[in-house]
Amino acid sequence: KDFDQALTQMTLLERDGARHPMIDALAAQVLQQSGKLEAARARHEAALSRYPEHLQLVYDYPRVLLMLKRYAEAASFAEDRLRRRPADGTLHQLAAEAEAGHGQDLKSHYHQGEYYATLGDVKGAVQQFELAVKSRGGDFQDIQVAEARLRELREQQRKMKSGRAPVGFTFGNS
């Protein structure tokens, strides 16, 4: 919990020319844990400009935005990254939390459902998608996408119950 000493050590590492995304991620985490959330946000943004695909930074940045209650920014960031990594459960979970904070219930349930689906929890995913299609908010396209995904998951659930699991699905994940 000696945050000042930790930050001093980070500064010394950088002064010696050490450059690595984990150093930036660790420095941002120290700032975050010490309550310097705006400094952590700025550190993440600078690090992401150098290492845009480093997963620790990609996951930690929206967490800091959530702590700052910058829900729309966190949701936008997570959804942008999901375009490149559509099956990333962590990003779906972060998007769900951000959308909930932003008052976007349909999108929040959608992303929580996708998170459960990445875990192989089809029942939990179906429940979230059922909530999504009943939620207010979202446009016509959002509703259509959620309804289509719900149908797909229900079909997967039906096949599982009949003993015909979809190709690539393992029962050990549910």
Side-chain angles (χ1 to χ4, degrees):
K1 299 277 183 189
D2 189 351
F3 299 118
D4 290 334
Q5 179 62 24
L7 289 171
T8 298
Q9 292 301 316
M10 290 292 159
T11 302
L12 292 173
L13 267 175
E14 291 170 334
R15 193 175 303 148
D16 289 342
R19 282 279 177 227
H20 193 277
M22 286 308 295
I23 293 172
D24 282 319
L26 185 57
Q29 285 181 0
V30 169
L31 289 165
Q32 176 186 334
Q33 291 175 19
S34 67
K36 298 175 182 174
L37 298 178
E38 279 297 336
R41 181 199 53 76
R43 182 69 185 237
H44 274 105
E45 288 174 0
L48 282 164
S49 71
R50 288 189 297 275
Y51 313 106
E53 300 304 321
H54 187 73
L55 285 181
Q56 189 66 49
L57 295 168
V58 167
Y59 294 155
D60 286 350
Y61 178 59
R63 287 184 180 113
V64 169
L65 292 174
L66 289 168
M67 293 175 79
L68 288 164
K69 299 186 184 335
R70 293 170 78 160
Y71 302 116
E73 290 175 59
S76 177
F77 179 85
E79 289 189 13
D80 176 63
R81 295 309 167 109
L82 280 164
R83 285 184 200 70
R84 292 176 253 177
R85 302 175 56 84
D88 189 316
T90 300
L91 284 173
H92 278 293
Q93 191 171 38
L94 288 164
E97 188 175 343
E99 294 291 8
H102 188 50
Q104 298 295 315
D105 292 345
L106 186 149
K107 289 183 178 183
S108 178
H109 290 298
Y110 174 89
H111 286 295
Q112 192 65 38
E114 289 295 355
Y115 169 69
Y116 287 142
T118 65
L119 298 177
D121 180 358
V122 177
K123 181 180 178 183
V126 165
Q127 289 172 342
Q128 287 299 312
F129 278 96
E130 287 172 343
L131 290 170
V133 299
K134 293 176 186 173
S135 295
R136 293 188 178 164
D139 58 25
F140 180 74
Q141 184 178 357
D142 292 336
I143 294 167
Q144 294 291 45
V145 169
E147 287 175 343
R149 187 67 168 118
L150 177 58
R151 284 190 299 274
E152 183 181 308
L153 287 164
R154 282 181 174 156
E155 178 62 18
Q156 185 176 348
Q157 198 174 38
R158 187 187 62 72
K159 287 180 180 178
M160 288 171 56
K161 285 181 181 176
S162 70
R164 296 179 295 138
V167 175
F169 183 83
T170 58
F171 283 101
N173 290 341
S174 56

